Amino acid sequence: MNSIDEHKSDVRSEAWAELRKVAKPDSKFHYNFAEFIADYEGSDKATKLFKEYKWYKDSEVLFITPDNCVEELRYETLKDGKKILMTTYGIYRGFWLLDPNEIPESRYEYASTLEGMEKVAKHVTLQDMIDMKLKVDVLVTGTGAINMKGIRFGKGHGFFDCEWGMLYSIGAVKQDTPTVAFVHDCQLLDQELTPDIFDTICELIVTPTKIIEVYKLYNDTIKIKPTVGILWDRLDPKMLETIPPLQELKKIQNVK
């Protein structure tokens, strides 16, 4: 484990100790935060705050992770007639598109759950997204810990960074496509965090009590987004072996 990985592990441990006090246990993983991003007390308030924000109001297509803390946001997004792009189970089963125009309203709530989304959504490949010229207006994710500069550490698997990198590589997102983190206030840290080159930094942080506009506070001092796409020489071989969209992107880019 290198120094950055050790740093991230220490930060996660500290944040998870506080999160345990307000988190809602997962039906499968209980309080094992290394396996899921937890829901927490007040996530409904965070959803209401974000729904009033300009990025949400102006969006038509949102990438929203399958994290527990944004389940209600997924439901509200469908009710508001917006499309959701997502992955499930660590990208192992690829990307899925929820189109509220193609789903009965009575199934919106079911479609917003991890159990129901694949049964209702349409599976889309990277080539499908290229062909349909899909553009994502905003990306929303939960995370393990984040600081005031929007530097976030998730579960430690790198899934969200990989998702962003793939979508960037096919033109579905751009460097200035905003990324939003949903966290409990106890996950918001004052300390400096050291990001890796591929870590996706968030421009907006939404907690149950406030919205922090990182892009206004630190726009001149932080690197908002990596511009590297997928770093094939840094990619964990197990991710390439188990994540079909990565295999597809490698073929699209003709990477040897």
Side-chain angles (χ1 to χ4, degrees):
M1 182 181 292
N2 61 39
S3 59
I4 291 181
D5 289 336
E6 291 177 354
H7 170 62
K8 291 180 178 181
S9 180
D10 291 342
V11 169
R12 289 189 191 97
S13 296
E14 293 174 13
W16 289 347
E18 293 301 311
L19 180 61
R20 181 67 168 75
K21 302 173 185 178
V22 296
K24 300 178 182 179
D26 183 75
S27 59
K28 181 178 180 181
F29 296 114
H30 193 45
Y31 287 106
N32 183 2
F33 299 140
E35 295 298 333
F36 78 109
I37 299 293
D39 194 9
Y40 42 76
E41 297 172 7
S43 61
D44 57 327
K45 296 177 182 178
T47 296
K48 290 177 182 177
L49 284 175
F50 183 54
K51 283 191 61 176
E52 294 302 314
Y53 199 75
K54 58 184 179 181
W55 289 348
Y56 178 83
K57 289 183 175 181
D58 295 342
S59 64
E60 296 181 3
V61 180
L62 294 86
F63 179 89
I64 305 179
T65 57
D67 299 329
N68 293 16
C69 62
V70 287
E71 180 176 313
E72 183 169 342
L73 176 64
R74 293 192 296 268
Y75 177 47
E76 291 293 326
T77 299
L78 291 175
K79 288 201 301 180
D80 288 336
K82 303 174 186 290
K83 296 178 182 178
I84 299 175
L85 181 68
M86 63 198 174
T87 61
T88 62
Y89 298 98
I91 332 177
Y92 300 130
R93 296 209 284 264
F95 287 87
W96 299 77
L97 186 64
L98 283 169
D99 186 343
N101 296 315
E102 298 179 359
I103 304 171
E105 189 173 351
S106 60
R107 303 201 77 191
Y108 285 177
E109 186 170 8
Y110 180 61
S112 68
T113 66
L114 189 58
E115 176 186 354
M117 54 180 59
E118 285 188 19
K119 295 180 175 67
V120 179
K122 175 184 177 183
H123 181 265
V124 289
T125 66
L126 297 180
Q127 189 61 54
D128 289 334
M129 288 186 261
I130 293 171
D131 293 343
M132 68 176 69
K133 296 180 173 57
L134 184 70
K135 301 297 180 185
V136 174
D137 299 306
V138 62
L139 302 94
V140 183
T141 181
T143 193
I146 195 167
N147 72 358
M148 291 291 290
K149 291 187 177 181
I151 300 171
R152 48 167 290 282
F153 295 161
K155 301 185 296 295
H157 303 309
F159 291 137
F160 184 68
D161 301 315
C162 182
E163 291 157 349
W164 193 92
M166 286 189 287
L167 293 174
Y168 177 81
S169 296
I170 65 168
V173 303
K174 300 182 294 183
Q175 189 180 14
D176 60 355
T177 303
T179 300
V180 180
F182 266 55
V183 293
H184 191 273
D185 292 88
C186 73
Q187 295 171 277
L188 183 60
L189 310 176
D190 292 327
Q191 69 194 83
E192 287 293 321
L193 301 179
T194 304
D196 211 326
I197 186 173
F198 48 74
D199 285 330
T200 307
I201 296 171
C202 295
E203 291 92 345
L204 199 75
I205 303 170
V206 184
T207 81
T209 63
K210 57 184 172 291
I211 286 181
I212 300 168
E213 296 175 311
V214 177
Y215 67 100
K216 290 185 178 180
L217 296 173
Y218 297 103
N219 195 41
D220 295 331
T221 59
I222 66 171
K223 181 180 179 182
I224 292 294
K225 287 285 196 307
T227 58
V228 294
I230 298 297
L231 291 172
W232 297 105
D233 60 338
R234 295 279 303 273
L235 187 67
D236 184 343
K238 290 183 179 179
M239 294 186 78
L240 182 58
E241 292 172 6
T242 56
I243 296 177
L246 279 173
Q247 299 164 15
E248 181 189 8
L249 180 62
K250 190 174 182 180
K251 291 180 181 179
I252 290 173
Q253 294 185 335
N254 196 28
V255 176
K256 303 299 183 182

